[in-house]
């Protein structure tokens, strides 16, 4: 059994229509989602109403991985379906238990988190160095 299939056993299928918010910034982070079909964009909104795209997530990936952080009881971004999506919703409490029990699953999510952090840092550096 693969790590992904082990994780997906914990979840339940859900659907989201194009334009629908799958998760909302500031709301309690109760689920992590595996995107089976479709795409989701994550966006951060500031208190002044400014919005920035953080990550464009395609099928075959988990979102929002930051929801696994113990100190983050709320979603830190919005997740908006860019097309009709089929997802698997995995309860955070169940997944955190699996992370504690299985080092392979923990390493899997650590790798994903580090890859996304690198991509975001590259995007930030590109934006900071733009000639205005």
């Amino acid at each position: 059994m693969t790590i992904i299939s082990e994780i997906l056993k914990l979840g339940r299928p859900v659907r989201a229509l194009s334009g629908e918010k799958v998760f909302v910034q500031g709301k309690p982070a109760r689920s992590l989602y595996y995107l089976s079909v479709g795409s989701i964009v994550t966006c951060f909104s500031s208190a002044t109403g400014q919005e920035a795209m953080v990550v464009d997530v395609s099928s075959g990936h988990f979102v929002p991985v930051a929801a696994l952080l113990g100190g983050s009881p709320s979603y830190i971004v919005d997740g908006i379906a860019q097309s009709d999506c089929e997802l698997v919703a995995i309860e955070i409490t169940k997944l955190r238990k699996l992370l504690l029990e299985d080092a392979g699953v923990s390493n899997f999510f650590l790798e994903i988190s580090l890859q996304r952090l690198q991509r975001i840092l590259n995007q930030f550096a590109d934006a900071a160095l733009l000639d205005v």
Side-chain angles (χ1 to χ4, degrees), residues 2-11 22-23 31-36 40 42 55-68 77 87-92 95 98-99 105 108-113 115-116 119:
T2 67
I3 288 177
I4 292 177
S5 61
E6 184 178 350
I7 296 164
L8 295 181
K9 285 191 319 183
L10 301 174
V22 177
F23 47 90
S31 296
L32 178 78
Y33 298 89
Y34 179 79
L35 186 55
S36 301
I40 290 177
T42 61
V55 177
D56 189 2
V57 181
S58 58
S59 60
H61 293 91
F62 290 91
V63 64
V65 176
L68 290 174
V77 292
L87 308 106
V88 177
I90 303 137
E91 285 182 42
I92 295 293
L95 188 50
L98 181 60
L99 288 168
V105 174
F108 175 78
F109 278 107
L110 178 60
E111 181 75 23
I112 290 171
S113 298
Q115 289 172 356
R116 291 205 183 150
R119 188 170 45 200

Side-chain angles (χ1 to χ4, degrees), residues 32 38 57 82 84 86 121 131:
L32 178 78
V57 181
Q82 295 301 292
D84 291 350
E86 295 178 17
L121 289 172
D131 289 333

Side-chain angles (χ1 to χ4, degrees), residues 69-83:
L69 299 173
S72 181
S74 300
Y75 293 114
I76 59 173
V77 292
D78 289 331
I80 305 164
Q82 295 301 292
S83 60

